[in-house]
Amino acid sequence: MRSGRRKRKLHLSKLYSFTCCRASSFEDELYSQIGGRGYSRVVLCNEHGGNLESEVVRDYADNSVRSTKYTPATFLPKSLFEQFRRVANFYFLVTGILAFTKLAPFNAASAIFPLIIVVGATMVKEGIEDWRRKKQDIEVNNRRVKVHKGDGNFEYTEWKNLRVGNIVKVEKDEFFPADLLLLSSSYEDAVCYVETMNLDGETNLKLKQGLEITSSLHGNLSFQKFRATVKCEDPNANLYSFVGSLEFGDQKYPLSPQQLLLRDSKLRNTDYIFGAVIFTGHDTKVIQNSTDPPSKRSRIERKMDRVIYFLFCILFLMAFVGSIFFYILTKDDLQGGSMKRWYLRPDDTTVFFDPKRPAAAAAFHCLTALMLYGFFIPISLYVSIEIVKVLQSIFINQDIHMYYEQADKPANARTSNLNEELGQVDTILSDKTGTLTCNSMEFVKCSIAGVAYGRGITEVEKAMGKRKGSPLNHEQVIGSEPNSINESSNGKASIKGFNFIDERIMNGNWVNEPHADVIRRFFRLLAICHTAIPEMDEDTGNVSYEAESPDEAAFVIAAREIGFEFCKRTQTSVSTFELDPVSGKKVERVYKLLNVLEFNSSRKRMSVIVEDEEGKIFLLCKGADSVMFERIAKNGREFQDKTMEHVHDYADAGLRTLILAYRELDVEEYKEFRNKFSKAKNLVCADQERQIEKISNKIERNLILLGATAVEDKLQNGVPDCIDKLAQAGIKIWVLTGDKMETAINIGFACSLLRQGMKQIIIHLESPEIKALEKDGDKLAIIKASRQSVLQQISEGAAQLTAYRGSSQQAFALIIDGKSLVYALDDNIKNMFLELAIRCASVICCRSSPKQKALVTRLVKSGTRKTTLAIGDGANDVGMLQEADIGVGISGVEGMQAVMSSDIAIAQFRYLDRLLLVHGHWCYRRISSMICYFFYKNITFGFTLFLYEVYASFSGEPAYNDWLLSIYNVFFSSLPVIALGVFDQDVSARYCLKFPLLYQEGVQNVLFSWRRILSWMLNGFISAIIIFFFCTKAMELQAFDSEGRTAGRDILGATMYTCVVWVVNLQIALAISYFTMIQHIFIWGSIAFWYIFLLVYGAMSPHFSTNAYQVFAETLAPSPMYWIVTFFVVISTLIPYFSYSAIQMRFFPMFHEIVQWIRYEGKTKDPEYCHMVRQRSLRPTTVGSTARLAAMANDRRDRTTINRR
Amino acid sequence: MSSSSAAASGSADSTAARRNTKRPKYSKFTQQELPACKPILTPRAVISVFLLVSVVFVPVGVASLLASRKVVEIVHRYDAECIPPSNSSDKVAYIQNSSVDKTCNITLKVNKHMKSPIHVYYQLDNFYQNHRRYVKSRNDEQLRDSSKWDSTSGCKPEDMANGKPIVPCGLIAWSLFNDTYVFSLNNKNLTVNKKGISWKSDRDHKFGKDVFPKNFQNGSIIGGAHLNDSIPLSQQEDLIVWMRTAALPTFRKLYGKIEMDLNEGDTISVTLKNNYNTYSFSGKKKLVLSTTGWLGGKNDFLGIAYLTVGGLCFFLAMSFTIIYFVKPRQLGDPSYLSWNRNPGGH
């Protein structure tokens, strides 16, 4: 059966007339380097008959990969080192060590304990993360592949056991386990199709072809005796180059990338291939190519570091001031032999308190004080933030609204470092293909014989329709969002790539149309003129197509749906099922395929020459309007005007158009062509292409126009809506694409980034002067002129902007192409360029290379000093994703390079609004509140210690019991703040999306401004002062209870501590705006735990609990004084903050508080009211569909007023 | 073999999805939609909180103040007057001179009826019992456990005397207060009960019943009081009270109780031994007689503070009410937003 099957396969390589599959030769100078430096690899294929065990392979890496950071041996030292690189941790390590000396104000264990917990928790987290990576590695390394074990036997083995030189057999839809040299495939001529999506994100299949000499190795047995030697380049990261030679028999054959199958790409449409392993494991190109994702830190964290340094300054200042006082007091103790404070025995003391050496004592005291006031520095801040961020990422990953059903992809926050950065994005730099558009083309409209067909609704029209239908009523739009997924899947569940509705020609109705014959030719052309390959599903009889580009597939599918089903391709023929208008039955027609004149970017058209069953020869041609209309014969222009009009309309709507035309060739003419053509094809390389092009050009003339197709480069679901939301949130959106300017502008219109009436500033180098210079080829002159031209265009643009500055209505768009970008990114010009770009409402860079994308990103990032987010899906976006503050990868289709180098992966562009406006906003808010609160709680605690020192002659005696002191951060104040960081919501997700402007809080960084940080710190100082003075004043001298006993250090300390615990926990309760059970449990639990702890700790033997022995049970609890003081101090400490926030809420509300008001007052149901709030606080939004609609409304109004005049 | 169509990758994926979907599980928790209370500071809430605080605080304040006012307290400073005028130029030399009899008589006048028990305190001023060197200078083991009598770590320089360990060692014990008071009313001695002036947990668990003072105050410099070597530490309540160090440099410690009512107009004469040296560091010494109420001793601070804060809250409640009435909030006024005030941002 297999051999029978193979006969059906084609020598596909022969179908193509142009570039494909050309064998390279040794002439190239590259090949001379083989064996030399950098080209020294020698692979002995199938050495030892593939006997794996005894193989003495050269020193090449094995095929297992390791992506883990640590090994069991290095984990401890390496992760510890990482931990103590942080200033705060290092500080605590030093104080922890110092705690073992006499300097310590408290016992050493209690100082080390929190550090161990904190560092331990972080290390556990690191360990778990690394374990996950390890598991992934194990999974990959243990995938199985068939390997030649000798004597023609192929057996399964794990990937990790592969060695260089092994022969493997890879079957359909399997991944290649290593970089392989393609030897042969199930096709006769050793071609195979490869999907390289994991490498470069391109979805179209790539054709690879093995050398002819090895293509005959078909059966397993033929490898029994196969021996060959490959000499090639050393491992490198370049995916698109490969230089090597194959020594087989006595001959040497050159090898090119054409023969190299890269690890992590997938075999498609080919039953199996045989290949020899060339590069393994870490030598493979894909792994060489993968760089460790740059470790990015968020703006907030960087600022937090500065705040911590600031706290360190306060800490040192306090310690220093304390030491000065200590110096004075200590020196004073001994005056000429008479002791002042005799009870301290200053005459017989250690250096730490020696009045004779007060300077030394003060210096040591300074160290003690640094240890004691160390409670200023929140030791658990870093670990808490890390825990919180991991949990936040889990929530992001779990968000069902960001789960993409079709591809089964939830959102995936790959690094948790940047959660809060998501809430501060100022500029989004977006790729186009695969990001804004889904890289799937849909046939939506066509114009045949001057009649426009097709009522399919494009995504743009949908978005506009929604807005238009309910200009004020955004609720419906939001409300319908979850449904829209269903809606779209129901509506279009039918056919991918086909969105054409017109009952006039569907279901065979076209026969009744006036120009039925033209329609038939039109669709027949679509069914024949392409290079797609049909795949018959044998069970259902359905045909699907494998095409090089998605628009091609769309055409074939369209033809099929209308009734011209392309069903079979052989080497020489194309067969279709057609509906016979007379009989009404499906008949098979076979067209002899004579030639294929392929598409390329300079020709902008493709043609096929076929002979139909009646022996007539046709040239069928489709191409861009710019090249097609000039090729139309005089007698073929019947519908030209109408068609041109339609094409113009389609282009306006952002559709891609192609013109279809045909011509009948007479036999003589064709013969002449064929001779010339085959002659040209046999020419040597250099001239061949031009000759072929010339000959083709000649025959593609005098065509008869049939009509035009309009294909929607389909925007991903919900893209216009999402862009509108982002624009309303005040985020700037730049599109960076490799596409042509026209396409980019089309998409710009489609996404509402551009609209009619927007002033477009287009910077390009297509001016005649420069073209003329280019012909001369004087490079220096070109560069000079180009730079001049770009500079001039930029300054002109800037001048235009300035001229229009007065009228805010006018929006500008900047469109720049890749060539000009080279100069615009020049050091001298780039700031001008940036300034211009910033002032424009939207910026589109087309024809930009991956490197330029990265450079533009860097320019925006460093030029504006604001957060940038890059979003893209392909390998060409990797640079951009890594350069930007946040890289978001689109993982719509299977795992890809962009995703691998991104920080966060989402499945669809439309989830970006939820990611930023909801999660970003929340995370930003949570983290910044959390950090502020951390500072607050530590200052409150730490400052009471300092105040106590004032009353303890700065001797360094802590006010609290040692253990109580050390577990403050760990037990009594950590959980509520983590709950704040993980769960708090200022407003619910619905309102975040409803009032996108809320997002500006993050962009403007109002929640983590120095003012806010310092206010929180001030609040901490005030709280500490109130707690300390009220407690000491209330319990100063007099009897503490009715028994008449007075309060000692233990009682005062415990009372103050109680107040601190209450205050910081109630403070967080005041700061939280979202109380679930969790918050209640954590907050009240922390307070309750304090009492429980005090009881338990007090019940331990006095050896352990020292002065806290039974302090609660015996002294505090029975005394009304304790309770009354606690109650009083706690309430009065909170009054300042409470009054402040009441006033702020009422008179200076922040935007989220306004939204809270609206929700509270139930005005959300009133759309006009909401709209009013939104509008009144909206900065003029210049892009997006809302703005477009507003502009349209303005336009209409202007027009009517003019008319009235 | 090629039965599954490669082009329709979507359908292939979706069948795979059904088998092993990555769809996040829906729950209110994972979607962050847990039922929650979302309090905001509405005028009503603010005003009622303030009112509530003042309503609670004022009565508590009144009660505390009454409790404090009910307490009768006699404070008498005696450190200056108990120095004979001849020695007033060098008080330190006088107090350090152990050969002089330091008896001193003072009289206290009872201005208000004092109900039994009347607590006797001594109050020291400018005495840093909370100094780190001082606080640490003790050995809890030694105090608790008779077998650890020779463990004196941390007690330097009062750990050894004449080569033998001191029990109880350390600066705290060594500097034990040693002024004594004898009270008489109308030439009739008032007994001062010195039992039960310390915390029970101290007597039971921190100071051993079989630990006796040894080698105490035998060093070169004598600090404060001597201890009776035949009474175990757990019964030396003066020491126990003293060893529970005070929090602040001005403190009172319980000396004993007079278990007898004193009437208004009574004059108590006190014969005291002015032994303790506070003159070196110019600290004051006071003798205090005080009754107690349910809230302890006499201190108006708490009551006044309660009343003040309660009043403040009432005032705030009133002002908020007025402000809310006079100046209604303008909802959604964009000029309040920081980024409209400051378009450049940060």
Side-chain angles (χ1 to χ4, degrees), chain A residues 55-154:
Chain A
E55 197 147 353
V56 191
V57 203
R58 275 160 198 274
D59 227 6
Y60 296 132
D62 67 7
N63 199 36
S64 57
V65 288
R66 192 172 78 86
S67 58
T68 54
K69 245 194 206 152
Y70 311 106
T71 63
T74 61
F75 177 72
L76 211 58
K78 219 170 152 186
S79 60
L80 276 177
F81 175 72
E82 287 290 322
Q83 282 303 304
F84 290 117
R85 274 194 347 192
R86 284 186 171 152
V87 187
N89 282 351
F90 184 71
Y91 166 79
F92 285 111
L93 180 68
V94 171
T95 55
I97 292 167
L98 283 178
F100 285 99
T101 66
K102 289 247 167 183
L103 284 171
F106 32 67
N107 71 49
S110 67
I112 286 288
F113 169 74
L115 184 70
I116 288 174
I117 288 204
V118 163
V119 171
T122 321
M123 278 170 60
V124 165
K125 183 201 146 220
E126 285 278 301
I128 291 172
E129 275 183 3
D130 217 43
W131 172 245
R132 279 207 204 113
R133 280 192 285 266
K134 172 99 185 160
K135 272 209 309 220
Q136 209 172 356
D137 285 350
I138 291 175
E139 195 269 320
V140 169
N141 286 333
N142 287 340
R143 285 191 202 164
R144 294 159 81 81
V145 67
K146 273 186 180 164
V147 167
H148 185 223
K149 295 266 190 181
D151 297 333
N153 288 329
F154 278 79

Side-chain angles (χ1 to χ4, degrees), chain A residues 386-539:
Chain A
E386 266 170 47
I387 293 171
V388 161
K389 282 185 172 182
V390 167
L391 295 173
Q392 284 177 345
S393 311
I394 291 174
F395 275 128
I396 290 178
N397 296 346
Q398 290 287 323
D399 191 337
I400 210 154
H401 296 291
M402 295 203 291
Y403 168 74
Y404 186 50
E405 191 88 53
Q406 273 97 323
D408 189 30
K409 291 275 178 195
N412 178 14
R414 288 164 37 82
T415 57
S416 53
N417 284 347
L418 297 170
N419 295 342
E420 71 275 16
E421 193 87 338
L422 287 174
Q424 295 191 282
V425 174
D426 181 69
T427 311
I428 294 176
L429 300 118
S430 172
D431 172 45
K432 186 188 76 67
T433 319
T435 306
L436 296 175
T437 64
C438 26
N439 198 23
S440 85
M441 303 293 171
E442 275 194 354
F443 188 88
V444 276
K445 293 181 188 198
C446 62
S447 156
I448 310 171
V451 183
Y453 294 102
R455 298 192 289 101
I457 296 171
T458 63
E459 196 65 32
V460 192
E461 288 167 332
K462 236 186 263 171
M464 291 301 293
K466 257 184 210 170
R467 291 269 175 277
K468 218 185 277 182
S470 54
L472 298 177
N473 201 346
H474 286 245
E475 279 76 325
Q476 290 184 357
V477 180
I478 291 155
S480 70
E481 205 124 32
N483 306 335
S484 70
I485 304 161
N486 299 332
E487 180 192 307
S488 62
S489 56
N490 291 341
K492 295 183 295 175
S494 47
I495 303 113
K496 196 183 162 205
F498 188 70
N499 184 19
F500 183 86
I501 308 168
D502 200 322
E503 56 291 337
R504 281 177 295 176
I505 49 176
M506 287 179 83
N507 303 325
N509 289 339
W510 56 271
V511 290
N512 305 322
E513 283 290 295
H515 294 284
D517 59 324
V518 182
I519 296 176
R520 179 162 61 207
R521 280 186 201 284
F522 183 93
F523 285 106
R524 194 177 279 164
L525 191 152
L526 288 183
I528 297 170
C529 178
H530 54 77
T531 55
I533 302 162
E535 282 248 359
M536 182 80 80
D537 186 328
E538 273 151 23
D539 299 331

